[in-house]
């Protein structure tokens, strides 16, 4: 009891590093990378200041830079020239992601490559898979018919050289289907990072502009989780772990720290995705001079680690690598 017990002793200046419970490490950061088949040069993304869409033939210098900075992996998203009902550009051997993966694999061999496996950038509906009339008659994402599409996308990414495929469509059975598809095609060593607990969040707004993946009708609430539901989110990750996911993910990150902490108990590595809206809010406030960008960004990242994430996907990856370097 006070005055014998003084909590502030642990916080004396020289003691601080000794008693830090968690650390941010550059190799546990994953940088998203937008590859745009229609771009002629790196094109700034207005809703995400500091982020760019890169033409496929300009991804190598960026990947090399991220690798030199010590970043653990890139997460590749593609913006195709053409969209159709079947998302056929998503599994094209010469598609935008496949090209980018082959180039990075060849020129930056040490960098881990993760690909986003979804169809919303490739369908003319903007929905994450095949659409049709569902049980109650409305048009919606059809679950089982979309699974084969996800298998084909994942296999084409693995064939191009992806180390990890990351399905983000929240279909039932997606991990099992992709695992079977990869194994049948001989890619039993390709990992699956499942977007296992992904919420129907308004924080994806800037990304949908960046990736041109907004829904042309409806929304994603029949497959992404209601933000009110923590136990349901846990059950989603539990299910994907059972289907053979190698890594689980909680998305968004900062408003769902309770879910990260719960999912960690499943024992698999856990990734958290600090999404576009989380990034853009910090950027915007900082640009207005209202907050200290570096301090708030680093605080947001260490909070995600404290909650229990091993890996963090963040648009701050490259900045954070520099900040950590400067602090070392
Ligand atoms: C595609 C996908 C989305 C994000 C990652 N993969 C958008 C969505 O589900 O609408 C969001 C990433 C971000 O906001 O940074 N399914
Ligand atoms: Zn999608």
């Amino acid at each position: 009891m006070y005055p014998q017990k003084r909590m502030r002793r642990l916080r004396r200046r020289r003691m601080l590093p000794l008693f830090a419970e968690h650390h941010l490490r550059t190799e546990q950061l994953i940088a998203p990378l937008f590859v745009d088949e229609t771009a002629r040069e790196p094109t700034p993304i207005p809703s995400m200041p500091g982020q760019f869409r890169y033409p496929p033939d300009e991804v190598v210098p960026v990947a090399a830079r991220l690798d030199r900075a010590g970043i653990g992996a890139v997460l590749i998203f593609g913006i195709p020239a053409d969209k159709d009902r079947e998302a056929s550009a998503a599994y094209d051997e010469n598609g935008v992601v496949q090209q980018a993966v082959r180039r990075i694999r060849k020129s930056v061999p040490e960098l881990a490559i993760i690909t986003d496996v979804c169809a919303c950038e490739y369908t003319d509906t903007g929905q994450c898979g095949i659409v049709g009339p569902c049980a109650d008659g409305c048009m919606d994402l059809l679950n089982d018919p979309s699974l084969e599409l996800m298998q084909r996308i994942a296999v084409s990414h693995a064939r191009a050289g992806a180390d990890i495929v990351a399905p983000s469509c929240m279909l039932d059975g997606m991990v099992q289907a992709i695992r079977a598809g990869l194994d049948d095609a001989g890619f039993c060593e390709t990992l699956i990072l499942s977007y296992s607990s992904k919420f129907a969040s308004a924080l994806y707004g800037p990304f949908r502009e960046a990736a041109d993946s907004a829904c042309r009708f409806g929304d994603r609430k029949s497959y992404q989780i209601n933000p009110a539901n923590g136990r349901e989110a846990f059950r989603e990750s539990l299910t994907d772990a059972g289907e053979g996911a190698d890594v689980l993910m909680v998305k968004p990150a900062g408003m769902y720290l309770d879910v990260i902490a719960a999912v960690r108990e499943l024992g698999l590595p856990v990734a958290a995705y600090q999404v576009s809206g989380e990034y853009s809010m910090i950027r915007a406030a900082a640009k207005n001079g209202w907050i200290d960008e570096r301090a708030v960004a680093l605080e947001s990242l260490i909070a995600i680690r404290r909650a229990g994430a091993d890996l963090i996907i963040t648009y701050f990856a490259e900045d954070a690598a520099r900040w950590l370097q400067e602090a070392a």
Side-chain angles (χ1 to χ4, degrees):
M1 222 178 303
Y2 180 80
Q4 289 76 24
K5 199 162 206 161
R6 290 177 179 267
M7 295 299 287
R8 293 185 60 197
R9 276 200 291 264
L10 290 170
R11 299 179 204 138
R12 286 172 55 197
R13 219 153 259 291
R14 282 192 305 279
M15 299 299 123
L16 281 179
L18 276 180
F19 298 115
E21 295 178 26
H22 296 278
H23 298 89
L24 257 186
R25 304 213 332 243
T26 303
E27 69 261 36
Q28 293 179 314
L29 301 179
I30 298 169
L33 188 57
F34 295 102
V35 192
D36 183 351
E37 200 166 22
T38 68
R40 299 240 154 274
E41 57 199 44
T43 310
I45 300 169
S47 56
M48 301 173 68
Q51 301 296 310
F52 296 82
R53 294 170 164 204
Y54 297 95
D57 57 5
E58 291 193 36
V59 292
V60 165
V62 189
R65 208 177 66 212
L66 294 167
D67 185 45
R68 272 198 308 278
I71 301 236
V74 286
L75 171 59
I76 299 181
F77 293 95
I79 298 114
D82 299 301
K83 299 174 192 276
D84 58 24
R85 198 51 48 91
E86 292 77 37
S88 51
Y91 52 84
D92 183 341
E93 295 301 325
N94 258 321
V96 58
V97 168
Q98 291 81 353
Q99 288 181 46
V101 170
R102 278 196 296 270
R103 287 197 165 94
I104 297 172
R105 178 47 62 244
K106 178 158 176 273
S107 306
V108 196
E110 295 306 316
L111 183 63
I113 302 175
I114 311 173
T115 56
D116 185 81
V117 173
C118 202
C120 47
E121 293 94 344
Y122 303 87
T123 52
D124 55 12
T125 59
Q127 288 286 347
C128 295
I130 307 295
V131 162
C134 62
D136 54 12
C138 347
M139 294 294 275
D140 203 349
L141 184 65
L142 298 178
N143 198 86
D144 297 10
S146 301
L147 290 176
E148 194 199 340
L149 173 61
M150 297 307 151
Q151 279 180 326
R152 294 174 76 163
I153 300 173
V155 169
S156 79
H157 290 176
R159 190 167 284 132
D163 299 288
I164 305 178
V165 293
S168 62
C169 54
M170 289 294 289
L171 291 166
D172 289 328
M174 81 183 175
V175 172
Q176 185 182 69
I178 289 172
R179 185 71 270 157
L182 289 171
D183 290 356
D184 282 350
F187 297 106
C188 59
E189 298 203 3
T190 304
L191 286 80
I192 299 176
L193 191 180
S194 176
Y195 285 67
S196 52
S197 296
K198 177 174 176 181
F199 289 87
S201 172
L203 292 166
Y204 309 148
F207 173 94
R208 290 181 188 168
E209 185 179 320
D212 190 26
S213 66
C215 297
R216 305 303 190 263
F217 75 90
D219 53 37
R220 306 209 207 286
K221 290 182 181 155
S222 77
Y223 41 109
Q224 300 179 350
I225 307 164
N226 178 349
N229 295 359
R231 281 178 293 142
E232 180 183 336
F234 177 76
R235 236 164 47 237
E236 280 279 6
S237 278
L238 177 67
T239 303
D240 285 8
E243 290 182 24
D246 299 286
V247 188
L248 300 171
M249 189 205 291
V250 176
K251 173 186 170 186
M255 295 186 191
Y256 298 88
L257 298 179
D258 56 325
V259 179
I260 295 174
V263 166
R264 181 182 172 77
E265 295 305 314
L266 290 170
L268 288 177
V270 176
Y273 197 147
Q274 183 178 54
V275 301
S276 55
E278 300 180 81
Y279 169 81
S280 296
M281 287 193 296
I282 295 174
R283 283 293 239 203
K287 209 161 138 194
N288 275 296
W290 296 337
I291 59 173
D292 176 336
E293 174 164 64
R294 171 183 158 141
V296 174
L298 287 173
E299 183 176 332
S300 71
L301 295 172
I302 199 70
I304 294 166
R305 291 274 296 135
R306 190 194 66 240
D310 302 294
L311 308 169
I312 306 176
I313 301 160
T314 172
Y315 301 97
F316 284 116
E318 198 172 5
D319 290 321
R322 194 182 61 251
W323 294 329
L324 292 173
Q325 183 76 41
E326 285 166 7

